[in-house]
Structures are given as structure tokens and as C-alpha cells.
């Protein structure tokens, strides 16, 4: 009888959905992760407590794979690697080794996607060559969150009214003022895509995605966050005081920029789901190896029925999560059939898989740690690192709760501002 396996390599269903070149890229990435990242996972993280030298070297080693600029259209020197499916599968591969390596790369991808979606030639011609050269690391930054909160920027119900960073036209330039927080690659990036508003009272019509190029006058980097997990990627804050950029560096225009922003959110959530499953797979590989060698009551730990049941729960989360994100990515990539990337059904599916896969990864790493006993909690093994990385993923992209609200919007007309006459009556001091 043929052996049934959840091994990634044997997932024929997924392989059949990919082009031959994407399959090749995935397999080279898998080899890279196996040979270059897995053996130095611990050292990579240690270097984040000093000079990030190893992290930067690893980013440099990734350059020949073409991931830095591969997401750009072929006419701009990229590989046309625009599909959510291939990107999420790549994220899973890298996530199994060190998710933060992909998180840093994704900064460029997410920064440039609005310009690609809008077909903004000025932005693409200016920045694409920086990403597609393979001599040096060139990072991008998608700056949405603000010091007052990230969710109010991302919450579709608020329709851009929560954005404080302003963009105003003056003398043929956009003039940016405000502050951003928690943006990956802030202070390191060459290009920033900044989520602004031209006038918050206009709602979605006021949302403006404006590009800035470092170094620039009026820009101040505020430092990086000291995180527990995903330490190899750096998130930080910045301030803009009258930063001027060319008028053509707005991604598209009124209304369309808000759509591109939502589509980017959906895309980012699918990628986060892929990363989460990579982390969970890494933890499963670790715990399977440990519980094979480690004995309890005369037999390997994994041969105890209760432990097999826990391993089954981990494996089920991975398998179902992988199938779910593959399905969401497949639909994202076919807007003519399933709806545009910014549409409610797509944002709902993307959010659902992000929530499910992050929860699965947190559960998997937590259970793996329990099966390894005290050794699950020490840095000699990698499960505790995966555990910290999984939690960080859950907190990004609107956090655990906003993503749930976005998921449920696909089921019914959830409206957090639902008119409630009873509340208004009570607030107004009336009695029932
Ligand atoms: C590892 C990491 C990487 C990141 N990378 C980037 C990046 O590249 N670019 C960027 O712009 N930002 C980035 N962020 C920021 C991230 O997107 C925000 O953390 C996220 O949007 C949540 O914002 P917040 O942390 O300010 O939480 P808040 O907005 O203060 O929310 C706090 C909690 O309240 C919940 N909540 C918020 N609104 C509602 C509501 N209406 N109803 C119910 N619950 C609600 C949230 O889900 C969350 O649980 C990153 C964060 C992390 C952790």
C-alpha cells in the first residue's frame, strides 16, 4: 500500500498548480534553506543582539536566488513572480528555517505591489533596477501603522479616516507630514510606500499611497523595536516633517489607492499564513526528531498514545492550514473568477487563513514544547524560537482580532457601527 505523507515535497496537488519555473524556484529555495539557514538558525538570532552581521550576510546570500526583485514584472527586470500562491509557498519554505529572513524581503514586495498594481511607470522605472540588481541588498518598507495604533489604519470600516499621516500637493510635489510605527525595514530601506491621507474626511477617496526615497530631507528614523521573536527582521518608527516627493510618486489616485492598500493587506495576510505554516512545520520536524530518540517508560516518547495524539493535532493543523492558504492564494490570483484582491470575499478569506494558520503555528509550537519537556524551552533546540516567531506573526497585520472581524465580513454584513437606538437613548440619559 502506498504510504500517505504530509511531506511538503510530495504534495502533488500543490505542485500541479505551479509553473515549471516556479517549481524550480521553490526547490532551489528549499535547498538554500536546508543548506544555508537551518545550520545557523541560532547564530543568526544571536547576531541580532549585537551587529546583525550574520543576518545581513544571509540576506546577501539570498540575492542569487532572485527573491529580492523577482516579484517585479519581467519588463522591469523581475521574474514576474506576482502570484500569491508562489509567494506564500516560498514564505513557507523560508519560514521553516527563519521566518524573519522572508519578513525582511517582504518589505520590498509589499512596498512595490501598489505601484505594480497601478502600473505606475515613474515609480517602477525609478526603483525596480535597485531591487533587480544582485550585487547588494536593497530593502523596501511598507509603512501603514502609526504610533496611535495600526488597526485603525487597516480597519476597512473606518475607510481611511483613522490615518493621521497627511499628504498635500504643493508646487508639483507631495508634502508628507506625520509618523509611522512598526514598519519592517524602517531606517534601512531605500524606498518607502507610505499610507497617507489627503483629507481624512474624504474617507477612502482621501487614502494616498505615496513613495519616498531615502535619504530624504525631513525624514527622521526613530529606532527599531526590541522584539521577542522574528528578531532577524527589524521593525521601527519614523517621522516625516515636510518630506517632498514628486507628484507622480502617488501609486494611483483617489479611490484606487484605497483598493490597492486593501489588496496589499489581503496579500500580506496570505503570506503570513504561509510563514506560519513554515514555522509549524519546522517545529514538527524538531519534535519528531526529539521524541524518536528520547525515551520514557521504556519506549520513544512518540510511541506513547497520548503523545501520538498530540503530534496528530500538530500535523492536522499544518495540513489543513496549508491546504487553506493554498486555496485562498489560488483565489486571490484569479480576480476574474473570485473577485478583486480588495474585495470583501478575498479579504475575508485571506484574513481567515491568516488567523487559522497563526493559531495553528502557536498551538503547534506550544504542544511541541510540551512534548520535549524542559528541553523544549531552551535555546539548544529551536522550538522555543519557533514559538516566539509564531506569536509575532499573529500580532502583525491587524493583530488577532481585527483579522477576525475582516474574516467574518465574508459571512454576513457585520457592522461595528451598527445603529443602536437603545444605547443612544441610555447614553442620552433617557430611561427605558
Ligand atoms: C512582527 C511585526 C511586523 C510588522 N510589520 C509591519 C509593517 O511592515 N508595516 C506596518 O505598517 N506595520 C507593521 N506591523 C504593525 C502591525 O501591522 C500592527 O501591529 C497591527 O496593525 C496592529 O496594530 P497595533 O499593534 O497598533 O495594535 P492596535 O491597533 O492598538 O490594536 C490592539 C488590539 O486591538 C484589536 N483591535 C483593533 N481594532 C479593533 C476593533 N475595531 N475591534 C476589535 N478589536 C480591535 C487588535 O486586533 C489588537 O488585538 C508589524 C507588527 C509586527 C508585530
Amino acid at each position: 500500500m502506498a504510504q500517505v505523507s504530509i511531506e511538503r515535497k510530495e504534495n502533488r496537488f500543490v505542485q500541479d498548480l505551479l509553473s515549471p519555473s516556479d517549481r524550480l524556484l521553490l526547490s532551489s529555495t528549499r535547498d538554500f534553506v536546508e543548506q544555508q539557514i537551518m545550520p545557523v538558525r541560532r547564530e543568526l538570532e544571536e547576531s541580532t543582539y549585537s551587529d546583525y552581521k550574520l543576518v545581513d550576510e544571509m540576506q546577501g546570500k539570498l540575492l542569487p536566488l532572485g527573491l529580492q526583485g523577482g516579484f517585479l514584472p519581467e519588463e522591469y527586470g523581475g521574474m514576474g513572480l506576482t502570484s500569491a500562491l508562489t509567494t506564500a509557498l516560498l514564505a513557507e519554505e523560508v519560514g521553516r528555517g527563519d521566518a524573519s529572513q522572508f519578513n525582511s524581503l517582504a518589505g520590498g514586495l509589499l512596498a512595490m505591489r501598489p505601484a505594480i498594481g497601478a502600473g505606475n511607470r515613474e515609480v517602477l522605472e525609478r526603483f525596480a533596477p535597485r531591487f533587480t540588481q544582485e550585487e547588494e541588498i536593497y530593502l523596501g518598507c511598507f509603512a501603514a501603522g502609526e504610533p496611535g495604533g495600526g488597526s485603525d489604519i487597516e480597519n476597512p470600516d473606518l475607510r481611511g479616516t483613522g490615518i493621521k499621516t497627511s499628504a498635500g500637493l504643493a508646487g508639483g510635489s507631495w508634502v508628507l507630514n506625520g509618523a509611522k510605527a512598526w514598519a519592517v525595514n524602517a531606517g534601512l530601506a531605500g524606498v518607502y510606500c507610505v499610507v497617507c491621507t489627503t483629507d481624512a474626511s474624504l474617507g477612502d477617496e482621501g487614502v494616498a499611497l505615496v513613495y519616498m526615497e531615502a535619504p530624504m530631507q525631513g525624514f527622521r528614523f526613530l529606532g527599531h523595536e526590541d522584539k521577542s521573536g522574528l528578531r532577524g527582521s527589524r521593525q521601527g518608527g519614523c517621522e516625516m516633517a515636510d518630506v517632498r516627493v514628486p507628484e507622480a510618486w502617488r501609486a494611483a489616485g483617489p479611490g484606487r489607492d484605497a483598493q490597492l492598500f486593501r489588496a496589499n493587506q489581503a496579500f500580506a495576510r496570505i503570506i503570513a499564513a504561509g510563514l506560519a505554516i513554515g514555522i509549524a512545520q519546522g517545529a514538527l520536524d524538531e519534535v519528531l526528531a526529539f521524541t524518536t530518540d528520547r525515551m520514557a517508560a521504556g519506549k520513544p516518547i512518540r510511541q506513547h498514545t497520548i503523545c501520538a495524539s498530540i503530534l496528530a493535532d500538530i500535523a492536522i493543523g499544518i495540513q489543513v492550514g496549508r491546504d487553506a492558504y493554498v486555496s485562498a492564494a489560488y483565489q486571490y490570483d484569479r480576480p476574474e473568477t473570485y473577485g478583486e484582491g480588495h474585495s470583501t470575499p478575498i479579504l475575508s478569506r485571506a484574513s481567515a487563513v491568516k488567523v487559522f494558520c497563526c493559531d495553528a503555528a502557536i498551538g503547534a509550537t506550544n504542544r511541541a514544547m510540551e512534548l520535549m519537556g524542559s528541553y523544549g524551552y531552551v535555546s539548544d533546540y529551536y522550538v522555543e524560537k519557533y514559538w516566539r516567531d509564531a506569536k509575532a506573526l499573529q500580532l502583525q497585520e491587524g493583530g488577532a482580532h481585527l483579522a477576525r472581524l475582516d474574516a467574518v465580513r465574508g459571512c454576513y454584513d457585520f457592522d461595528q457601527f451598527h445603529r443602536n437606538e437603545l444605547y443612544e437613548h441610555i447614553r442620552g440619559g433617557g430611561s427605558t
Side-chain angles (χ1 to χ4, degrees), residues 147-365:
S151 310
D152 280 2
I153 315 294
E154 296 187 16
N155 187 342
D157 272 356
L158 294 184
R159 304 174 63 80
T161 55
I163 303 170
K164 303 271 187 305
T165 301
S166 67
L169 268 180
S173 302
W174 286 107
V175 183
L176 271 54
N177 281 287
K180 291 291 170 185
W182 274 94
V184 71
N185 300 331
L188 305 165
V191 59
Y192 292 72
C193 178
V194 188
V195 179
C196 310
T197 179
T198 55
D199 176 352
S201 70
L202 295 176
D204 278 346
E205 292 292 302
V207 174
L209 305 183
V210 183
Y211 286 84
M212 311 189 297
E213 182 178 21
M216 60 223 134
Q217 263 202 334
F219 174 87
R220 193 158 76 94
F221 169 56
L222 301 174
H224 289 133
E225 302 294 341
D226 184 16
K227 311 191 303 298
S228 293
L230 290 183
R231 286 197 56 90
S233 69
R234 282 158 275 185
Q235 286 76 14
C238 56
E239 274 176 0
M240 283 80 60
D242 289 334
V243 170
R244 300 180 82 89
V245 302
E247 188 174 348
W249 286 10
R250 177 177 184 172
R256 181 70 184 131
D257 277 11
Q259 293 179 341
L260 291 164
F261 177 34
R262 301 264 141 75
N264 229 20
Q265 266 174 262
F267 189 89
R269 287 182 186 173
I270 294 171
I271 305 313
L275 276 174
I277 293 303
I279 290 173
Q281 181 72 53
L284 177 61
D285 295 346
E286 283 290 307
V287 71
L288 280 177
F290 185 90
T291 55
T292 305
D293 298 337
R294 185 86 171 169
M295 308 288 280
K299 60 181 178 180
I301 289 175
R302 75 185 201 179
Q303 299 303 350
H304 289 271
T305 309
I306 188 169
C307 299
S309 164
I310 294 169
L311 288 166
D313 285 343
I314 298 176
I316 289 165
I318 293 172
Q319 188 164 320
V320 174
R322 183 177 293 131
D323 289 350
Y325 89 67
V326 165
S327 162
Y330 180 90
Q331 294 176 51
Y332 186 99
D333 291 336
R334 286 162 184 76
E336 62 291 346
T337 309
Y338 298 100
E340 295 288 334
H342 62 265
S343 66
T344 302
I346 291 294
L347 187 58
S348 165
R349 278 181 201 120
S351 305
V353 296
K354 191 249 173 186
V355 168
F356 183 88
C357 294
C358 287
D359 286 357
I362 291 168
T365 50

